[in-house]
Amino acid sequence: DTEVTQTPKHLVMGMTNKKSLKCEQHMGHRAMYWYKQKAKKPPELMFVYSYEKLSINESVPSRFSPECPNSSLLNLHLHALQPEDSALYLCASSQADSSYEQYFGPGTRLTVT
Amino acid sequence: AQKVTQAQTEISVVEKEDVTLDCVYETRDTTYYLFWYKQPPSGELVFLIRRNSFDEQNEISGRYSWNFQKSTSSFNFTITASQVVDSAVYFCALSDPSGGYQKVTFGTGTKLQVIP
């Protein structure tokens, strides 16, 4: 199984809402990632979890809060977002100690109104 | 610091033409990984290939081939006999020890349009 799944596919939220993005993989990978991608730009790394511990935080604002409940699941909790946070949010997974190619989910297209 | 340059912003070709996407990278490390990803209009990034810095063998997979040259710090991607389904944005990427190999630097991408 080489699939990474993400829910929801689309999300519209107001600036005062709280919502969560979910990601799941069953490839036995021990590294999981959140990326943000704006139109016509490459993905920007937000967070990396390695063996369920946060290993990289790319100075992301605290209105984004990641969580890794277990080795297969990754969440991104959203609170008090700004319209400029509207983007495609991509989850990925990879081996933690070798190979390092990342497998991406289909993304959640987020619109903040 | 890591850097990946994809100088071609957009390329248009007619179906069945061959096309090469260029990628030039910079890193201070001797051990690193290079990748190519495809992002079709649906949005999902699809992993195409990984090459480590010690393996300069070129690779062919069907209509796809990759030319890795350390001497010029390039990792170019050629699609032979292009098809409409190849239309996508293609990203070249690099990871090295500075980010524990997990921090990937992406190029800005090349948008390929294959015209029927």
Side-chain angles (χ1 to χ4, degrees):
Chain A
D1 187 355
T2 57
E3 192 177 55
V4 177
T5 58
Q6 288 187 245
T7 55
K9 288 188 177 169
H10 299 274
L11 179 63
V12 179
M13 61 185 289
M15 289 190 283
T16 58
N17 291 158
K18 284 186 182 181
K19 295 285 185 184
S20 297
L21 309 185
K22 296 186 182 301
C23 174
E24 188 169 9
Q25 58 91 11
H26 293 288
M27 291 182 277
H29 289 163
R30 301 304 296 274
M32 295 187 76
Y33 308 75
W34 280 115
Y35 288 87
K36 173 183 178 180
Q37 188 179 25
K38 299 284 256 185
K40 299 183 189 277
K41 298 287 188 185
E44 295 174 40
L45 182 65
M46 299 174 72
F47 303 103
V48 181
Y49 274 83
S50 187
Y51 295 100
E52 295 89 68
K53 287 187 172 35
L54 184 65
S55 58
I56 297 176
N57 176 343
E58 289 289 272
S59 302
V60 178
S62 59
R63 57 186 185 269
F64 295 92
S65 175
E67 179 195 19
C68 189
N70 60 53
S71 60
S72 300
L73 292 173
L74 186 66
N75 299 321
L76 186 64
H77 303 298
L78 314 173
H79 177 230
L81 294 193
Q82 304 296 310
E84 59 265 29
D85 296 321
S86 298
L88 180 67
Y89 287 83
L90 293 161
C91 173
S93 70
S94 76
Q95 300 282 2
D97 302 308
S98 64
S99 303
Y100 304 108
E101 66 263 22
Q102 296 179 22
Y103 293 88
F104 285 81
T108 294
R109 196 160 295 280
L110 173 68
T111 303
V112 181
T113 60
Chain B
Q2 298 171 321
K3 187 177 179 183
V4 177
T5 301
Q6 294 180 255
Q8 303 149 309
T9 306
E10 291 194 37
I11 301 175
S12 289
V13 298
V14 177
E15 201 171 20
K16 297 186 184 174
E17 286 184 347
D18 299 347
V19 59
T20 295
L21 310 183
D22 298 332
C23 173
V24 175
Y25 63 92
E26 293 177 30
T27 176
R28 287 180 291 198
D29 292 288
T30 56
T31 303
Y32 52 88
Y33 291 88
L34 295 163
F35 310 88
W36 276 96
Y37 288 89
K38 173 182 180 181
Q39 189 172 36
S42 60
E44 180 174 348
L45 271 90
V46 178
F47 165 71
L48 297 177
I49 190 170
R50 167 181 54 88
R51 178 62 76 227
N52 75 49
S53 52
F54 297 110
D55 182 3
E56 283 195 77
Q57 273 194 320
N58 292 327
E59 180 148 345
I60 298 174
S61 176
R63 296 184 296 107
Y64 295 172
S65 62
W66 291 270
N67 184 353
F68 176 29
Q69 293 201 339
K70 285 176 75 170
S71 59
T72 56
S73 296
S74 65
F75 186 40
N76 296 338
F77 173 28
T78 297
I79 302 174
T80 303
S82 60
Q83 299 177 2
V84 172
V85 293
D86 297 326
S87 296
V89 178
Y90 291 86
F91 291 99
C92 180
L94 164 74
S95 71
D96 68 16
S98 67
Y101 295 106
Q102 292 170 339
K103 189 171 174 179
V104 173
T105 297
F106 285 89
T108 50
T110 297
K111 183 177 182 179
L112 173 65
Q113 184 178 15
V114 180
I115 303 164

